[in-house]
Amino acid sequence: MPERDVTVGQLLLTEYQTVKDEQKTRIGFRDNLLYVTLTVVAAVVAAAAQAGQPAMLLALPPVCVVLGWTYLVNDQKISAIGVYVREDLGPRLARLADTDEAFAWESAHRTDARRRTRKALQCVIDLLAFCLVPLAGLTVYWAAGATGGGLLAMSVVEAMAVLGLGVQVLSYAGYLGSG
């Protein structure tokens, strides 16, 4: 069986394909988390309304925080892969190929004039889905007035967790410094 030499370029291209596959998988998973969140919110709100039990809305914050944090972590990894390809892997491959740039799309798509607006709107959607909806549920619970001591304390802890997630969403989006 003959030996096959593997070049550095082949290794880098294989690494590129591997990280892009991971990025693609994470994008699909991340995007589906919004749909899952909407489905869970609709189910909880419908069940609470049908049962006439505002306390059931206390399920929204933990679910939204867990799904929101998972969304945020995946989004960060997606971005980290992009940075790695643009700033490390691409330049190494470009040097090997003796060219100015490899994987130009990794940078080119970031120069769209409406990118900043899209990113801001995505941040608003993330805050709405993962933070404002559970806070609205807590507000309805508190306004209903049938708050027991233990559930009230739990609802305050939940509100702090949701607000903490909101801070993280804003931070990762670059509005409170880097994430």
PDB file of all heavy atoms in Angstrom, residues 23-39 67 70-75 78 122 125-126 129-130:
ATOM      1  N   GLN A  23     -20.309  25.044  11.925  1.00  0.00           N
ATOM      2  CA  GLN A  23     -21.025  26.316  11.886  1.00  0.00           C
ATOM      3  C   GLN A  23     -22.427  26.137  11.303  1.00  0.00           C
ATOM      4  O   GLN A  23     -23.413  26.651  11.838  1.00  0.00           O
ATOM      5  CB  GLN A  23     -20.217  27.341  11.087  1.00  0.00           C
ATOM      6  CG  GLN A  23     -20.778  28.752  11.134  1.00  0.00           C
ATOM      7  CD  GLN A  23     -19.955  29.709  10.313  1.00  0.00           C
ATOM      8  OE1 GLN A  23     -19.640  29.447   9.151  1.00  0.00           O
ATOM      9  NE2 GLN A  23     -19.584  30.836  10.918  1.00  0.00           N
ATOM     10  N   LYS A  24     -22.521  25.392  10.217  1.00  0.00           N
ATOM     11  CA  LYS A  24     -23.818  25.159   9.571  1.00  0.00           C
ATOM     12  C   LYS A  24     -24.764  24.423  10.519  1.00  0.00           C
ATOM     13  O   LYS A  24     -25.947  24.785  10.630  1.00  0.00           O
ATOM     14  CB  LYS A  24     -23.609  24.355   8.283  1.00  0.00           C
ATOM     15  CG  LYS A  24     -24.877  24.086   7.514  1.00  0.00           C
ATOM     16  CD  LYS A  24     -24.603  23.438   6.175  1.00  0.00           C
ATOM     17  CE  LYS A  24     -24.012  22.067   6.362  1.00  0.00           C
ATOM     18  NZ  LYS A  24     -23.879  21.297   5.128  1.00  0.00           N
ATOM     19  N   THR A  25     -24.268  23.431  11.216  1.00  0.00           N
ATOM     20  CA  THR A  25     -25.088  22.682  12.166  1.00  0.00           C
ATOM     21  C   THR A  25     -25.566  23.592  13.287  1.00  0.00           C
ATOM     22  O   THR A  25     -26.735  23.560  13.681  1.00  0.00           O
ATOM     23  CB  THR A  25     -24.291  21.491  12.734  1.00  0.00           C
ATOM     24  OG1 THR A  25     -23.932  20.631  11.652  1.00  0.00           O
ATOM     25  CG2 THR A  25     -25.092  20.715  13.762  1.00  0.00           C
ATOM     26  N   ARG A  26     -24.659  24.397  13.810  1.00  0.00           N
ATOM     27  CA  ARG A  26     -25.016  25.315  14.895  1.00  0.00           C
ATOM     28  C   ARG A  26     -26.033  26.358  14.437  1.00  0.00           C
ATOM     29  O   ARG A  26     -26.913  26.746  15.206  1.00  0.00           O
ATOM     30  CB  ARG A  26     -23.777  25.988  15.462  1.00  0.00           C
ATOM     31  CG  ARG A  26     -22.937  25.077  16.329  1.00  0.00           C
ATOM     32  CD  ARG A  26     -21.753  25.821  16.936  1.00  0.00           C
ATOM     33  NE  ARG A  26     -20.981  24.993  17.810  1.00  0.00           N
ATOM     34  CZ  ARG A  26     -21.261  24.773  19.107  1.00  0.00           C
ATOM     35  NH1 ARG A  26     -22.318  25.331  19.649  1.00  0.00           N
ATOM     36  NH2 ARG A  26     -20.500  23.996  19.833  1.00  0.00           N
ATOM     37  N   ILE A  27     -25.915  26.836  13.209  1.00  0.00           N
ATOM     38  CA  ILE A  27     -26.875  27.815  12.689  1.00  0.00           C
ATOM     39  C   ILE A  27     -28.276  27.202  12.659  1.00  0.00           C
ATOM     40  O   ILE A  27     -29.246  27.825  13.101  1.00  0.00           O
ATOM     41  CB  ILE A  27     -26.453  28.330  11.302  1.00  0.00           C
ATOM     42  CG1 ILE A  27     -25.238  29.248  11.425  1.00  0.00           C
ATOM     43  CG2 ILE A  27     -27.604  29.056  10.611  1.00  0.00           C
ATOM     44  CD1 ILE A  27     -24.572  29.597  10.102  1.00  0.00           C
ATOM     45  N   GLY A  28     -28.386  25.996  12.148  1.00  0.00           N
ATOM     46  CA  GLY A  28     -29.683  25.332  12.105  1.00  0.00           C
ATOM     47  C   GLY A  28     -30.263  25.127  13.493  1.00  0.00           C
ATOM     48  O   GLY A  28     -31.447  25.385  13.737  1.00  0.00           O
ATOM     49  N   PHE A  29     -29.425  24.683  14.412  1.00  0.00           N
ATOM     50  CA  PHE A  29     -29.871  24.453  15.787  1.00  0.00           C
ATOM     51  C   PHE A  29     -30.294  25.765  16.431  1.00  0.00           C
ATOM     52  O   PHE A  29     -31.365  25.852  17.043  1.00  0.00           O
ATOM     53  CB  PHE A  29     -28.751  23.782  16.586  1.00  0.00           C
ATOM     54  CG  PHE A  29     -29.128  23.479  18.004  1.00  0.00           C
ATOM     55  CD1 PHE A  29     -29.993  22.432  18.290  1.00  0.00           C
ATOM     56  CD2 PHE A  29     -28.623  24.226  19.050  1.00  0.00           C
ATOM     57  CE1 PHE A  29     -30.348  22.144  19.601  1.00  0.00           C
ATOM     58  CE2 PHE A  29     -28.974  23.954  20.365  1.00  0.00           C
ATOM     59  CZ  PHE A  29     -29.835  22.901  20.637  1.00  0.00           C
ATOM     60  N   ARG A  30     -29.470  26.798  16.282  1.00  0.00           N
ATOM     61  CA  ARG A  30     -29.765  28.113  16.865  1.00  0.00           C
ATOM     62  C   ARG A  30     -31.086  28.657  16.332  1.00  0.00           C
ATOM     63  O   ARG A  30     -31.939  29.097  17.097  1.00  0.00           O
ATOM     64  CB  ARG A  30     -28.639  29.097  16.551  1.00  0.00           C
ATOM     65  CG  ARG A  30     -28.911  30.523  17.054  1.00  0.00           C
ATOM     66  CD  ARG A  30     -28.136  31.563  16.304  1.00  0.00           C
ATOM     67  NE  ARG A  30     -28.478  31.565  14.889  1.00  0.00           N
ATOM     68  CZ  ARG A  30     -27.765  32.207  13.973  1.00  0.00           C
ATOM     69  NH1 ARG A  30     -26.685  32.871  14.311  1.00  0.00           N
ATOM     70  NH2 ARG A  30     -28.126  32.178  12.705  1.00  0.00           N
ATOM     71  N   ASP A  31     -31.259  28.609  15.036  1.00  0.00           N
ATOM     72  CA  ASP A  31     -32.467  29.164  14.438  1.00  0.00           C
ATOM     73  C   ASP A  31     -33.717  28.405  14.879  1.00  0.00           C
ATOM     74  O   ASP A  31     -34.774  29.003  15.070  1.00  0.00           O
ATOM     75  CB  ASP A  31     -32.344  29.201  12.918  1.00  0.00           C
ATOM     76  CG  ASP A  31     -31.297  30.210  12.453  1.00  0.00           C
ATOM     77  OD1 ASP A  31     -30.769  30.975  13.290  1.00  0.00           O
ATOM     78  OD2 ASP A  31     -30.997  30.222  11.244  1.00  0.00           O
ATOM     79  N   ASN A  32     -33.609  27.110  15.056  1.00  0.00           N
ATOM     80  CA  ASN A  32     -34.751  26.323  15.523  1.00  0.00           C
ATOM     81  C   ASN A  32     -35.117  26.645  16.969  1.00  0.00           C
ATOM     82  O   ASN A  32     -36.270  26.453  17.376  1.00  0.00           O
ATOM     83  CB  ASN A  32     -34.488  24.830  15.363  1.00  0.00           C
ATOM     84  CG  ASN A  32     -34.677  24.388  13.932  1.00  0.00           C
ATOM     85  OD1 ASN A  32     -35.503  24.924  13.205  1.00  0.00           O
ATOM     86  ND2 ASN A  32     -33.898  23.407  13.514  1.00  0.00           N
ATOM     87  N   LEU A  33     -34.163  27.145  17.754  1.00  0.00           N
ATOM     88  CA  LEU A  33     -34.461  27.497  19.138  1.00  0.00           C
ATOM     89  C   LEU A  33     -35.503  28.608  19.229  1.00  0.00           C
ATOM     90  O   LEU A  33     -36.299  28.634  20.177  1.00  0.00           O
ATOM     91  CB  LEU A  33     -33.186  27.899  19.888  1.00  0.00           C
ATOM     92  CG  LEU A  33     -32.274  26.743  20.265  1.00  0.00           C
ATOM     93  CD1 LEU A  33     -30.940  27.253  20.787  1.00  0.00           C
ATOM     94  CD2 LEU A  33     -32.941  25.840  21.291  1.00  0.00           C
ATOM     95  N   LEU A  34     -35.532  29.511  18.274  1.00  0.00           N
ATOM     96  CA  LEU A  34     -36.565  30.550  18.268  1.00  0.00           C
ATOM     97  C   LEU A  34     -37.945  29.926  18.070  1.00  0.00           C
ATOM     98  O   LEU A  34     -38.906  30.296  18.749  1.00  0.00           O
ATOM     99  CB  LEU A  34     -36.294  31.583  17.175  1.00  0.00           C
ATOM    100  CG  LEU A  34     -35.322  32.698  17.548  1.00  0.00           C
ATOM    101  CD1 LEU A  34     -34.998  33.555  16.341  1.00  0.00           C
ATOM    102  CD2 LEU A  34     -35.860  33.545  18.675  1.00  0.00           C
ATOM    103  N   TYR A  35     -38.056  28.978  17.157  1.00  0.00           N
ATOM    104  CA  TYR A  35     -39.329  28.312  16.916  1.00  0.00           C
ATOM    105  C   TYR A  35     -39.763  27.501  18.137  1.00  0.00           C
ATOM    106  O   TYR A  35     -40.945  27.491  18.498  1.00  0.00           O
ATOM    107  CB  TYR A  35     -39.262  27.412  15.680  1.00  0.00           C
ATOM    108  CG  TYR A  35     -38.889  28.155  14.432  1.00  0.00           C
ATOM    109  CD1 TYR A  35     -37.782  27.786  13.682  1.00  0.00           C
ATOM    110  CD2 TYR A  35     -39.636  29.257  14.001  1.00  0.00           C
ATOM    111  CE1 TYR A  35     -37.435  28.483  12.532  1.00  0.00           C
ATOM    112  CE2 TYR A  35     -39.289  29.957  12.852  1.00  0.00           C
ATOM    113  CZ  TYR A  35     -38.194  29.560  12.130  1.00  0.00           C
ATOM    114  OH  TYR A  35     -37.853  30.261  10.999  1.00  0.00           O
ATOM    115  N   VAL A  36     -38.831  26.821  18.757  1.00  0.00           N
ATOM    116  CA  VAL A  36     -39.136  26.059  19.967  1.00  0.00           C
ATOM    117  C   VAL A  36     -39.633  27.002  21.059  1.00  0.00           C
ATOM    118  O   VAL A  36     -40.621  26.714  21.746  1.00  0.00           O
ATOM    119  CB  VAL A  36     -37.900  25.253  20.439  1.00  0.00           C
ATOM    120  CG1 VAL A  36     -38.126  24.665  21.825  1.00  0.00           C
ATOM    121  CG2 VAL A  36     -37.559  24.161  19.440  1.00  0.00           C
ATOM    122  N   THR A  37     -38.960  28.135  21.213  1.00  0.00           N
ATOM    123  CA  THR A  37     -39.365  29.111  22.229  1.00  0.00           C
ATOM    124  C   THR A  37     -40.784  29.610  21.970  1.00  0.00           C
ATOM    125  O   THR A  37     -41.606  29.663  22.893  1.00  0.00           O
ATOM    126  CB  THR A  37     -38.376  30.290  22.261  1.00  0.00           C
ATOM    127  OG1 THR A  37     -37.067  29.777  22.544  1.00  0.00           O
ATOM    128  CG2 THR A  37     -38.762  31.305  23.327  1.00  0.00           C
ATOM    129  N   LEU A  38     -41.080  29.961  20.731  1.00  0.00           N
ATOM    130  CA  LEU A  38     -42.425  30.433  20.397  1.00  0.00           C
ATOM    131  C   LEU A  38     -43.472  29.356  20.683  1.00  0.00           C
ATOM    132  O   LEU A  38     -44.560  29.651  21.200  1.00  0.00           O
ATOM    133  CB  LEU A  38     -42.493  30.860  18.940  1.00  0.00           C
ATOM    134  CG  LEU A  38     -41.703  32.123  18.581  1.00  0.00           C
ATOM    135  CD1 LEU A  38     -41.713  32.346  17.074  1.00  0.00           C
ATOM    136  CD2 LEU A  38     -42.253  33.333  19.311  1.00  0.00           C
ATOM    137  N   THR A  39     -43.163  28.116  20.371  1.00  0.00           N
ATOM    138  CA  THR A  39     -44.090  27.008  20.606  1.00  0.00           C
ATOM    139  C   THR A  39     -44.333  26.816  22.099  1.00  0.00           C
ATOM    140  O   THR A  39     -45.484  26.669  22.539  1.00  0.00           O
ATOM    141  CB  THR A  39     -43.547  25.712  19.981  1.00  0.00           C
ATOM    142  OG1 THR A  39     -43.358  25.928  18.573  1.00  0.00           O
ATOM    143  CG2 THR A  39     -44.484  24.542  20.202  1.00  0.00           C
ATOM    144  N   LEU A  67     -33.480  28.266  26.996  1.00  0.00           N
ATOM    145  CA  LEU A  67     -33.439  28.299  25.533  1.00  0.00           C
ATOM    146  C   LEU A  67     -32.671  29.525  25.032  1.00  0.00           C
ATOM    147  O   LEU A  67     -31.915  29.435  24.064  1.00  0.00           O
ATOM    148  CB  LEU A  67     -34.854  28.279  24.962  1.00  0.00           C
ATOM    149  CG  LEU A  67     -35.629  26.973  25.171  1.00  0.00           C
ATOM    150  CD1 LEU A  67     -37.081  27.128  24.743  1.00  0.00           C
ATOM    151  CD2 LEU A  67     -34.967  25.828  24.431  1.00  0.00           C
ATOM    152  N   THR A  70     -28.933  28.951  25.515  1.00  0.00           N
ATOM    153  CA  THR A  70     -28.468  27.987  24.509  1.00  0.00           C
ATOM    154  C   THR A  70     -28.358  28.671  23.150  1.00  0.00           C
ATOM    155  O   THR A  70     -27.383  28.464  22.416  1.00  0.00           O
ATOM    156  CB  THR A  70     -29.422  26.778  24.445  1.00  0.00           C
ATOM    157  OG1 THR A  70     -29.532  26.217  25.755  1.00  0.00           O
ATOM    158  CG2 THR A  70     -28.920  25.727  23.490  1.00  0.00           C
ATOM    159  N   TYR A  71     -29.339  29.496  22.809  1.00  0.00           N
ATOM    160  CA  TYR A  71     -29.317  30.282  21.569  1.00  0.00           C
ATOM    161  C   TYR A  71     -28.082  31.181  21.539  1.00  0.00           C
ATOM    162  O   TYR A  71     -27.342  31.226  20.562  1.00  0.00           O
ATOM    163  CB  TYR A  71     -30.598  31.118  21.483  1.00  0.00           C
ATOM    164  CG  TYR A  71     -30.680  32.019  20.285  1.00  0.00           C
ATOM    165  CD1 TYR A  71     -31.334  31.603  19.126  1.00  0.00           C
ATOM    166  CD2 TYR A  71     -30.114  33.290  20.294  1.00  0.00           C
ATOM    167  CE1 TYR A  71     -31.420  32.432  18.014  1.00  0.00           C
ATOM    168  CE2 TYR A  71     -30.197  34.124  19.195  1.00  0.00           C
ATOM    169  CZ  TYR A  71     -30.855  33.691  18.058  1.00  0.00           C
ATOM    170  OH  TYR A  71     -30.929  34.519  16.967  1.00  0.00           O
ATOM    171  N   LEU A  72     -27.859  31.881  22.638  1.00  0.00           N
ATOM    172  CA  LEU A  72     -26.749  32.827  22.720  1.00  0.00           C
ATOM    173  C   LEU A  72     -25.387  32.136  22.604  1.00  0.00           C
ATOM    174  O   LEU A  72     -24.502  32.607  21.887  1.00  0.00           O
ATOM    175  CB  LEU A  72     -26.851  33.590  24.041  1.00  0.00           C
ATOM    176  CG  LEU A  72     -26.056  34.859  24.205  1.00  0.00           C
ATOM    177  CD1 LEU A  72     -26.435  35.885  23.138  1.00  0.00           C
ATOM    178  CD2 LEU A  72     -26.290  35.448  25.589  1.00  0.00           C
ATOM    179  N   VAL A  73     -25.231  31.015  23.284  1.00  0.00           N
ATOM    180  CA  VAL A  73     -23.966  30.274  23.227  1.00  0.00           C
ATOM    181  C   VAL A  73     -23.709  29.768  21.807  1.00  0.00           C
ATOM    182  O   VAL A  73     -22.584  29.875  21.301  1.00  0.00           O
ATOM    183  CB  VAL A  73     -23.970  29.110  24.248  1.00  0.00           C
ATOM    184  CG1 VAL A  73     -22.820  28.158  24.012  1.00  0.00           C
ATOM    185  CG2 VAL A  73     -23.921  29.665  25.662  1.00  0.00           C
ATOM    186  N   ASN A  74     -24.739  29.248  21.161  1.00  0.00           N
ATOM    187  CA  ASN A  74     -24.569  28.784  19.787  1.00  0.00           C
ATOM    188  C   ASN A  74     -24.244  29.938  18.858  1.00  0.00           C
ATOM    189  O   ASN A  74     -23.399  29.816  17.972  1.00  0.00           O
ATOM    190  CB  ASN A  74     -25.807  28.024  19.311  1.00  0.00           C
ATOM    191  CG  ASN A  74     -25.703  26.570  19.628  1.00  0.00           C
ATOM    192  OD1 ASN A  74     -25.041  25.822  18.934  1.00  0.00           O
ATOM    193  ND2 ASN A  74     -26.330  26.154  20.713  1.00  0.00           N
ATOM    194  N   ASP A  75     -24.914  31.073  19.045  1.00  0.00           N
ATOM    195  CA  ASP A  75     -24.641  32.247  18.225  1.00  0.00           C
ATOM    196  C   ASP A  75     -23.196  32.704  18.395  1.00  0.00           C
ATOM    197  O   ASP A  75     -22.520  33.044  17.422  1.00  0.00           O
ATOM    198  CB  ASP A  75     -25.612  33.376  18.585  1.00  0.00           C
ATOM    199  CG  ASP A  75     -25.563  34.502  17.587  1.00  0.00           C
ATOM    200  OD1 ASP A  75     -25.847  34.260  16.396  1.00  0.00           O
ATOM    201  OD2 ASP A  75     -25.223  35.639  17.993  1.00  0.00           O
ATOM    202  N   ILE A  78     -20.945  30.319  16.526  1.00  0.00           N
ATOM    203  CA  ILE A  78     -21.055  30.583  15.086  1.00  0.00           C
ATOM    204  C   ILE A  78     -20.168  31.762  14.714  1.00  0.00           C
ATOM    205  O   ILE A  78     -19.415  31.713  13.736  1.00  0.00           O
ATOM    206  CB  ILE A  78     -22.527  30.841  14.697  1.00  0.00           C
ATOM    207  CG1 ILE A  78     -23.349  29.557  14.850  1.00  0.00           C
ATOM    208  CG2 ILE A  78     -22.638  31.412  13.285  1.00  0.00           C
ATOM    209  CD1 ILE A  78     -24.850  29.799  14.910  1.00  0.00           C
ATOM    210  N   GLN A 122     -32.102  41.918  15.006  1.00  0.00           N
ATOM    211  CA  GLN A 122     -31.974  40.571  15.563  1.00  0.00           C
ATOM    212  C   GLN A 122     -31.834  40.635  17.076  1.00  0.00           C
ATOM    213  O   GLN A 122     -32.399  39.812  17.800  1.00  0.00           O
ATOM    214  CB  GLN A 122     -30.789  39.825  14.949  1.00  0.00           C
ATOM    215  CG  GLN A 122     -30.702  38.376  15.382  1.00  0.00           C
ATOM    216  CD  GLN A 122     -31.911  37.573  14.942  1.00  0.00           C
ATOM    217  OE1 GLN A 122     -32.256  37.555  13.774  1.00  0.00           O
ATOM    218  NE2 GLN A 122     -32.576  36.912  15.877  1.00  0.00           N
ATOM    219  N   ILE A 125     -35.255  41.165  18.462  1.00  0.00           N
ATOM    220  CA  ILE A 125     -36.026  39.912  18.399  1.00  0.00           C
ATOM    221  C   ILE A 125     -35.574  38.957  19.499  1.00  0.00           C
ATOM    222  O   ILE A 125     -36.401  38.329  20.172  1.00  0.00           O
ATOM    223  CB  ILE A 125     -35.896  39.267  17.004  1.00  0.00           C
ATOM    224  CG1 ILE A 125     -36.659  40.109  15.984  1.00  0.00           C
ATOM    225  CG2 ILE A 125     -36.387  37.819  17.015  1.00  0.00           C
ATOM    226  CD1 ILE A 125     -36.377  39.753  14.550  1.00  0.00           C
ATOM    227  N   ASP A 126     -34.269  38.850  19.703  1.00  0.00           N
ATOM    228  CA  ASP A 126     -33.752  37.980  20.758  1.00  0.00           C
ATOM    229  C   ASP A 126     -34.244  38.432  22.130  1.00  0.00           C
ATOM    230  O   ASP A 126     -34.667  37.612  22.953  1.00  0.00           O
ATOM    231  CB  ASP A 126     -32.222  37.946  20.732  1.00  0.00           C
ATOM    232  CG  ASP A 126     -31.659  37.345  19.458  1.00  0.00           C
ATOM    233  OD1 ASP A 126     -32.423  36.726  18.684  1.00  0.00           O
ATOM    234  OD2 ASP A 126     -30.444  37.518  19.222  1.00  0.00           O
ATOM    235  N   ALA A 129     -38.089  37.643  22.371  1.00  0.00           N
ATOM    236  CA  ALA A 129     -38.401  36.220  22.521  1.00  0.00           C
ATOM    237  C   ALA A 129     -37.940  35.648  23.854  1.00  0.00           C
ATOM    238  O   ALA A 129     -38.681  34.901  24.508  1.00  0.00           O
ATOM    239  CB  ALA A 129     -37.779  35.426  21.378  1.00  0.00           C
ATOM    240  N   PHE A 130     -36.745  35.997  24.269  1.00  0.00           N
ATOM    241  CA  PHE A 130     -36.154  35.333  25.424  1.00  0.00           C
ATOM    242  C   PHE A 130     -36.257  36.121  26.722  1.00  0.00           C
ATOM    243  O   PHE A 130     -36.068  35.552  27.797  1.00  0.00           O
ATOM    244  CB  PHE A 130     -34.690  34.992  25.139  1.00  0.00           C
ATOM    245  CG  PHE A 130     -34.505  34.072  23.962  1.00  0.00           C
ATOM    246  CD1 PHE A 130     -33.817  34.492  22.835  1.00  0.00           C
ATOM    247  CD2 PHE A 130     -35.041  32.799  23.963  1.00  0.00           C
ATOM    248  CE1 PHE A 130     -33.640  33.648  21.746  1.00  0.00           C
ATOM    249  CE2 PHE A 130     -34.881  31.944  22.881  1.00  0.00           C
ATOM    250  CZ  PHE A 130     -34.176  32.373  21.768  1.00  0.00           C
TER     251      PHE A 130
END
